[in-house]
Amino acid sequence: MKIPKSHPRYESLVQRHLLLDGLKRGYVAEAGLIAHGRGEAFDYLLGERTIKEAKNAERAAVAMLLLSENPVISVNGNTIALTPEGIVEFARLINAKIEINLFYRTLKRERLIKEVLLENGAEEVLGVGKDFRRIPGIDSERGRADPRGIWSADTVLVPLEDGDRTEALIKMGKNVIAIDLNPLSRTSEYATITIVDNIVRAIPNMIKLAKEMEDWERERLERITENFDEKKNLKEIILRMRKGL
Ligand code: PTJ
């Protein structure tokens, strides 16, 4: 269906249709549509824009990723439907691996997501098939971790997931950066840095920041991560949502 650009909810409708296309192609989970609806509701409360607190978190996240030895971007069906080329470009800029990690896992979906990433320029995609170890304490399919990827990562970027994996990854000693429009989610509660922004805005913002910051000295990047106060930032976002209402 062609959505007229003049439609007042154009951007929002485009996102819905990206998910529907992914569902038809077979790589978006049916429940992914429900998860997107939850995200939309929170985005509405934020005014569908990147708020100041999200900008701060995006800056701290890019600094942390640039400081990391082995950063990994974990992707699921929704993430790849919404911003496949953005994920590939951002991974290249911060020198991160891309690993597929699915809650509703099937080998078919893993293969399809890999195909989409390759079409968008990715060179290597981890997390397909049998080569995995189990994250302690996670019994679902999300507990899979590629030994060359999430298993050995020091920092994992986890978009669009409200689950127990963040807590388990933190217990393994990793930094976890979440992108989640819901500031009350379990992921937001445990993550080292939570970016409360729509992934369709967060990834382009982080691409810009990575281009600006890629040559900065370590001390300058470290100052940014040290000065970022995750708990305070989240509190301010919740207050902002309450005031907005
Ligand atoms: O592809 P799979 O099999 O791994 O399944 C993916 C889903 C999304 C179905 C699965 O991870 C899931 O059930 O997710 P949850 O627990 O519903 O969490 C998704 C979180 O992402 C929610 O807190 C939403 O608010 C948030 N969210 C949804 N859309 C966006 C978003 N956050 C940022 N940008 C979005 N566009």
Side-chain angles (χ1 to χ4, degrees), residues 60-71:
V62 171
M64 183 173 277
L65 287 160
L66 288 170
L67 285 165
S68 301
E69 292 283 311
N70 188 13

Side-chain angles (χ1 to χ4, degrees), residues 15 27 29 31-32 35-36 38-39 42 76-78 82 101-105 109 142 160-163 179-182 185 197-200:
Q15 289 170 45
Y27 65 84
H36 184 74
R38 185 196 297 176
F42 280 105
N76 62 15
N78 284 39
L82 290 170
N101 179 281
L102 303 178
F103 186 70
Y104 300 100
R105 178 191 174 265
R109 285 188 66 217
R142 255 186 202 146
L160 277 53
E161 154 177 342
D162 176 3
I179 302 178
D180 190 341
L181 278 160
N182 178 5
S185 75
D197 199 3
N198 193 323
I199 193 167
V200 303

